[in-house]
Amino acid sequence: MQQYAMLISPSANRVYARTAARMAANEIRVFSAHALDGAIEDVEEAAFGGVPYLTFRSDSLSARDLRLLANLSSLFALFAVRGTMLEPIAVERLDRYDDDLITILKYVGKTNEQFTKLLLNVTAAVALDPDRLLSGDVTVLDPMCGRGTSLNQAAMYGWDAFGVEVDKRDFEAYSAFVQRWLKDKRLKHHAVQSRVKREGRGVGQRTRVEFAATKERHRAGDLQVVEIVNADTLRSGEVFRKGAFDLIVTDAPYGVQHAAVKDTRALTRKPTEVLEAAIPVWADLLRRGGAMGLSWNLYTTARADLAAMLEEAGLEVMASGPFHDFEHRVDQAINRDLIVARKP
């Protein structure tokens, strides 16, 4: 059985870096169970030459399997272990664009880029078969997208990315950024701004950008979409059709006001109340077989309560071991965890 060694990517976020190896190990376990037919065994931390690595064993990894593993959120380099030597393995990532698409935007409250990628990865592993995951034919929604870190990561993979954001400043900042970035990279694109209306009433403002990674893809009509709508997340069902998305991922923010316009209750900043109202709306937007991945602050909502909300919305919560070991500290006020649920 072949042993592999994964060098963990250095993180600019020192707090996240302390837990990166454990998070990456569980990400590998999720990939193995849901995308690789259990092909990976013995995932553990090890040291070579005093440098920490993650090691794992497999006797059946194909070229396709290695392409999947190349997209692990914390992977810096991958090696085959040959006795006391490490043989580099070329990694073929899905990335279609320069990584500044992910890193260039800096702002208070931005979700760590590595964690955003991990959340997207484990959600995709649950919902998509390996060939589909690698194909680029995937639609993703972040219903609380902020300034678009998750949208950018989905776009990096070649997937179509859609977002809803209630804060107008964040909506405008992301709309301006994505268009400026495409212009700076000299990528052919077409941007449209419009109003979203349902039954004659305004729902929100929309920015939609269609683009391609190369001129050849553009000429062939192989276009990607990034779309963001400035609206309350509880109105997402008025913006998008039911069953429109393969994946829904979001890092549920703390202290953001949301409430349906038709709802008589006041706007609330309580995350549990927002999630309780929003999850059924989001679940309707998932296709059958699709998956929802949420991260949230354990100090505000208990895992059991969130799991119950997802199950009441008709989703099947992933309960295997790795999914219960992603908890990590962000700061003294935030202890973050993630949960993934699939639509049967």
Side-chain angles (χ1 to χ4, degrees):
M1 184 173 285
Q2 177 62 54
Q3 185 179 36
Y4 297 86
M6 170 181 159
L7 184 60
I8 301 291
S9 180
S11 174
N13 185 317
R14 292 187 179 182
V15 175
Y16 188 81
R18 295 190 193 111
T19 59
R22 174 175 58 84
M23 303 281 282
N26 286 309
E27 185 181 6
I28 292 172
R29 293 181 181 111
V30 170
F31 266 67
S32 177
H34 292 274
L36 302 176
D37 295 323
I40 291 176
E41 302 176 13
D42 303 329
V43 183
E44 57 188 19
E45 296 182 48
F48 295 93
V51 177
Y53 290 78
L54 271 181
T55 62
F56 56 90
R57 297 178 184 275
S58 179
D59 59 3
S60 60
L61 289 183
S62 65
R64 185 198 66 179
D65 297 339
L66 290 171
R67 283 187 66 204
L68 284 170
L69 293 174
N71 300 289
L72 291 168
S73 61
S74 294
L75 182 135
F76 189 66
L78 185 64
F79 302 89
V81 180
R82 311 289 188 193
T84 60
M85 305 295 288
L86 299 179
E87 177 185 335
I89 296 175
V91 290
E92 184 184 348
R93 293 183 171 89
L94 286 172
D95 297 356
R96 290 191 182 185
Y97 305 100
D98 295 337
D99 63 5
D100 62 356
L101 174 60
I102 307 292
T103 61
I104 196 170
L105 266 181
K106 306 291 184 186
Y107 54 92
V108 175
K110 181 179 182 178
T111 304
N112 177 278
E113 295 101 336
Q114 286 182 10
F115 178 75
T116 298
K117 187 174 182 179
L118 182 149
L119 178 62
L120 185 62
N121 281 350
V122 297
T123 307
V126 166
L128 307 173
D129 65 57
D131 291 330
R132 178 84 185 284
L133 201 154
L134 294 169
S135 72
D137 180 25
V138 180
T139 55
V140 182
L141 170 68
D142 185 340
M144 292 177 157
C145 68
R147 298 194 183 186
T149 304
S150 59
L151 307 188
N152 291 339
Q153 181 57 63
M156 180 72 87
Y157 280 171
W159 301 349
D160 291 338
F162 299 79
V164 176
E165 176 50 45
V166 71
D167 189 303
K168 186 163 186 166
R169 292 170 300 177
D170 287 344
F171 165 79
E172 292 174 344
Y174 182 71
S175 297
F177 163 75
V178 70
Q179 294 176 74
R180 170 53 59 190
W181 186 88
L182 289 165
K183 288 177 183 176
D184 289 346
K185 297 295 178 178
R186 298 184 179 180
L187 295 173
K188 293 196 70 172
H189 63 281
H190 178 64
V192 175
Q193 293 184 323
S194 61
R195 298 287 299 175
V196 180
K197 291 186 177 181
R198 290 294 180 271
E199 300 177 356
R201 296 186 301 120
V203 176
Q205 188 176 354
R206 169 189 282 140
T207 297
R208 179 183 175 93
V209 185
E210 297 180 356
F211 58 99
T214 64
K215 291 179 181 179
E216 291 74 21
R217 285 182 182 271
H218 197 278
R219 282 197 294 268
D222 182 11
L223 303 180
Q224 289 179 241
V225 173
V226 167
E227 181 177 304
I228 183 172
V229 177
N230 178 211
D232 191 304
T233 194
L234 299 188
R235 303 192 69 179
S236 299
E238 299 175 56
V239 177
F240 304 109
R241 61 179 173 80
K242 290 185 177 181
F245 298 103
D246 299 299
L247 309 174
I248 294 178
V249 295
T250 198
D251 181 21
Y254 177 77
V256 177
Q257 292 182 334
H258 290 267
V261 169
K262 292 184 291 186
D263 202 333
T264 57
R265 67 181 173 83
L267 292 171
T268 179
R269 289 182 180 271
K270 296 179 179 179
T272 303
E273 290 184 8
V274 173
L275 290 169
E276 193 172 29
I279 283 173
V281 177
W282 301 343
D284 281 345
L285 299 176
L286 267 181
R287 67 163 179 84
R288 293 201 175 277
M292 186 184 303
L294 308 179
S295 59
W296 83 102
N297 185 2
L298 280 165
Y299 292 148
T300 64
T301 308
R303 183 182 185 88
D305 293 340
L306 186 54
M309 295 178 205
L310 292 163
E311 289 169 352
E312 287 172 11
L315 305 181
E316 175 189 355
V317 175
M318 298 297 104
S320 60
F323 289 101
H324 288 272
D325 195 22
F326 285 112
E327 180 182 339
H328 61 286
R329 182 180 182 273
V330 177
D331 58 36
Q332 63 181 7
I334 301 174
N335 192 37
R336 186 165 56 195
D337 201 355
L338 70 79
I339 192 168
V340 178
R342 186 175 178 274
K343 189 169 186 176

